[in-house]
Amino acid sequence: MAGTDQTQTLPAQDNNSPAVILVSPQMGENIGAAARAMLNCGLSDLRIVNPRDGWPNERADAMSSGALAKMPPVQVFASTEKAVADCHYIYATTARPRDMVKTVFTARGAAADMHARDIKGQKTAFLFGAERTGLTNEDVALSHAVITIPLNPAFSSLNLAQGVLLCAYEWAMAADKTPARTLQTGDSFPVPHAALDELFVRLEAELEAHHFFRSEDMKPSIVRNLKAMLVRADLTDQEVRTFHGIISALTGKKAPKE
Amino acid sequence: MAGTDQTQTLPAQDNNSPAVILVSPQMGENIGAAARAMLNCGLSDLRIVNPRDGWPNERADAMSSGALAKMPPVQVFASTEKAVADCHYIYATTARPRDMVKTVFTARGAAADMHARDIKGQKTAFLFGAERTGLTNEDVALSHAVITIPLNPAFSSLNLAQGVLLCAYEWAMAADKTPARTLQTGDSFPVPHAALDELFVRLEAELEAHHFFRSEDMKPSIVRNLKAMLVRADLTDQEVRTFHGIISALTGKKAPKE
């Protein structure tokens, strides 16, 4: 039985980020996939209580895509109580408990709560139960709160590694400052207005010369709409040069600066 | 080769939620796991471009945990262009493109954008590339924007199904109204103040009678702290009755109403 208690022999994890504790996991593959999902999201304190197939586990190593080799050693415990001994606040991942009075978080709500506790020096932990059977009532009872991810009620069952991924992802996103939307321009740079205006003036003059505007009445609104389209495209300096090249090619006349 | 174009033979999906398009996926297991992740999050419009092992695929069925059987038939296409033909805005999931000018979303930013487009009747799609190789430059070029999930830069590679899960999860969460934190009280109900006050009064009287308060000076702050602890616990009516029972058991005196 590999459920040996290593609290005495292994140093504590040196980071204060949340522990992920897998209770009685059955398949090494799922442990490895959970480790990969953790490290994807910057978590590395993995603890296992009574793994069915012992530890270490070759299938876990293979499925972790190298994550287990890059993380501190996994700690193995004989009981959930020992695995959470140093944790100040424990979140059990489970469906809403019907017969216990418990605080219930979404994964996103829990992530915000964990970061707030981290700032105060508290160690937190996610608790995950065995595949299929989940956490025991005793494990839920010793947890301060429950995390229930509000998924499709008609098809809500996640596999273990996917549950770990969503919790770890929310933990990572709660501290992430990446803008929700940006324009990636690579080696180019958004064009300044003067260069865009120069393009407008040239385009309008060539369209005029080529009888594009059928009526003088309509011309102002057509020009406005063309400008709106080109401004909306967030053109770069390189793209404006390309556009000048298109006009030159189609008219046979070089741009003033070419 | 199973990459037959079914656009002519299959009716369009009847929901307007985002399509998930897997381009040249290699392993049936990953297609099945992606389908499961989609349905977990309420998505069901799965399209596949040139699956290596054909379609249908037994391994995909097995890995989907029943999701494929519950979803509308998967549509299979011979090219990405045909797969996205009815889509108004396409999000390529890939690392930030270095040599293309593209709008880059986080998965969360894309989800908000997709819902805004959905309200206007626009069909959107997530584009996922093959395992290991990812999307081609051509597939990225035909997409309106890129989704890059800001994960651990030292270990950011997600497997296909986990990438689908995070995108689909963010889409689901963008419309989810579940409170971030609630107290689940089951059959009980939070106790009203009067019943809690009755408990305070009884507890204080019994502690006084049993010489718990060593000095009159300290008593007010000790009582305040006890009250703070009990109020913070968000007791239910049942728990207040249990607390009365504890006092009765320890003192040998029944509560006034017992």
Side-chain angles (χ1 to χ4, degrees):
Chain A
M1 187 65 199
T4 51
D5 186 339
Q6 300 187 353
T7 30
Q8 274 76 46
T9 56
L10 270 182
Q13 302 290 326
D14 63 0
N15 74 65
N16 200 44
S17 60
V20 171
I21 304 175
L22 309 182
V23 182
S24 306
Q26 309 256 306
M27 297 179 64
E29 289 86 343
N30 290 331
I31 301 171
R36 177 180 181 179
M38 285 175 62
L39 196 57
N40 280 152
C41 301
L43 294 181
S44 61
D45 182 356
L46 175 58
R47 308 176 181 191
I48 313 179
V49 177
N50 285 331
R52 184 192 65 185
D53 297 337
W55 193 261
N57 181 309
E58 282 182 13
R59 292 183 176 182
D61 287 336
M63 197 71 179
S64 82
S65 296
L68 283 168
K70 291 179 181 164
M71 291 160 61
V74 170
Q75 296 182 79
V76 181
F77 297 89
S79 70
T80 305
E81 286 78 0
K82 287 184 177 173
V84 299
D86 62 334
C87 299
H88 300 94
Y89 204 91
I90 301 151
Y91 307 74
T93 60
T94 181
R96 285 167 177 262
R98 298 207 172 276
D99 56 350
M100 270 188 258
V101 179
K102 282 283 173 189
T103 294
V104 178
F105 285 100
T106 59
R108 192 163 299 175
D113 192 66
M114 291 175 127
H115 281 283
R117 291 179 187 280
D118 183 17
I119 289 168
K120 295 182 177 177
Q122 298 177 26
K123 177 79 180 178
T124 57
F126 294 108
L127 213 57
F128 289 88
E131 302 94 331
R132 301 185 188 284
T133 53
L135 289 168
T136 62
N137 283 341
E138 285 65 34
D139 287 339
V140 176
L142 71 72
S143 301
H144 298 76
V146 158
I147 296 174
T148 300
I149 303 177
L151 297 174
N152 178 1
F155 194 79
S156 63
S157 169
L158 284 174
N159 81 18
L160 179 57
Q162 288 182 316
V164 170
L165 176 64
L166 292 183
C167 288
Y169 169 77
E170 285 287 9
W171 178 83
M173 289 305 103
D176 184 71
K177 304 271 193 265
T178 308
R181 175 187 184 140
T182 61
L183 185 69
Q184 170 86 6
T185 55
D187 295 335
S188 304
F189 204 79
V191 75
H193 176 76
L196 197 58
D197 196 51
E198 192 177 42
L199 175 65
F200 287 152
V201 168
R202 184 181 175 212
L203 178 62
E204 185 179 339
E206 291 297 343
L207 291 175
E208 183 81 57
H210 288 78
H211 313 294
F212 175 78
F213 304 108
R214 298 194 187 149
S215 95
E216 275 300 311
D217 286 358
M218 297 293 287
K219 186 181 159 187
S221 75
I222 293 173
V223 169
R224 274 199 305 277
N225 290 341
L226 282 173
K227 286 188 179 180
M229 182 174 76
L230 290 171
V231 170
R232 187 172 67 241
D234 286 336
L235 298 176
T236 65
D237 44 13
Q238 175 58 50
E239 289 167 334
V240 166
R241 285 193 294 275
T242 301
F243 213 107
H244 274 295
I246 289 172
I247 297 173
S248 300
L250 296 181
T251 61
K253 291 188 282 185
K254 286 199 172 181
K257 291 180 182 173
E258 275 182 296
Chain B
M1 189 61 199
T4 51
D5 188 338
Q6 300 188 353
T7 30
Q8 274 75 46
T9 57
L10 270 182
Q13 301 292 325
D14 62 0
N15 74 64
N16 200 45
S17 59
V20 171
I21 302 174
L22 309 181
V23 182
S24 306
Q26 310 257 306
M27 297 179 64
E29 289 84 343
N30 290 330
I31 302 171
R36 179 180 178 177
M38 286 175 62
L39 196 56
N40 279 153
C41 301
L43 294 181
S44 61
D45 183 354
L46 175 58
R47 306 176 182 191
I48 313 180
V49 178
N50 286 332
R52 184 191 65 185
D53 297 337
W55 194 261
N57 181 311
E58 282 183 13
R59 290 183 178 182
D61 286 336
M63 198 70 178
S64 82
S65 296
L68 283 168
K70 291 179 182 164
M71 291 160 62
V74 170
Q75 295 181 80
V76 180
F77 297 89
S79 71
T80 304
E81 286 78 0
K82 287 184 178 174
V84 299
D86 62 334
C87 300
H88 300 94
Y89 204 91
I90 300 153
Y91 306 75
T93 60
T94 181
R96 283 165 179 264
R98 301 208 169 273
D99 56 349
M100 271 187 257
V101 179
K102 281 284 171 187
T103 295
V104 178
F105 284 100
T106 60
R108 191 163 300 176
D113 192 65
M114 290 175 129
H115 281 284
R117 291 179 186 280
D118 183 18
I119 289 168
K120 295 181 176 178
Q122 298 176 27
K123 176 80 181 177
T124 58
F126 294 108
L127 214 58
F128 289 87
E131 301 94 330
R132 303 185 186 282
T133 53
L135 289 169
T136 62
N137 284 340
E138 285 66 33
D139 287 338
V140 176
L142 72 72
S143 301
H144 299 76
V146 157
I147 295 175
T148 301
I149 302 177
L151 296 174
N152 178 0
F155 193 80
S156 63
S157 168
L158 284 175
N159 82 17
L160 179 56
Q162 288 181 317
V164 170
L165 177 64
L166 292 183
C167 288
Y169 168 76
E170 285 288 8
W171 178 83
M173 288 306 103
D176 183 71
K177 304 270 192 263
T178 308
R181 174 187 185 141
T182 61
L183 185 68
Q184 169 86 6
T185 55
D187 295 336
S188 303
F189 204 78
V191 74
H193 176 75
L196 197 58
D197 196 54
E198 191 177 45
L199 174 65
F200 288 152
V201 168
R202 184 180 173 211
L203 178 61
E204 184 179 338
E206 290 297 343
L207 290 175
E208 182 80 59
H210 288 78
H211 314 292
F212 176 78
F213 304 108
R214 296 195 190 150
S215 94
E216 276 301 311
D217 285 358
M218 297 293 286
K219 185 181 160 189
S221 75
I222 294 173
V223 169
R224 273 199 306 276
N225 289 342
L226 282 174
K227 285 185 179 181
M229 182 174 77
L230 290 172
V231 170
R232 187 171 67 241
D234 285 336
L235 299 177
T236 64
D237 45 13
Q238 175 57 51
E239 289 167 334
V240 166
R241 285 194 296 274
T242 301
F243 212 108
H244 274 294
I246 289 172
I247 298 174
S248 300
L250 296 182
T251 61
K253 290 189 283 184
K254 286 197 171 182
K257 288 182 184 175
E258 277 182 295

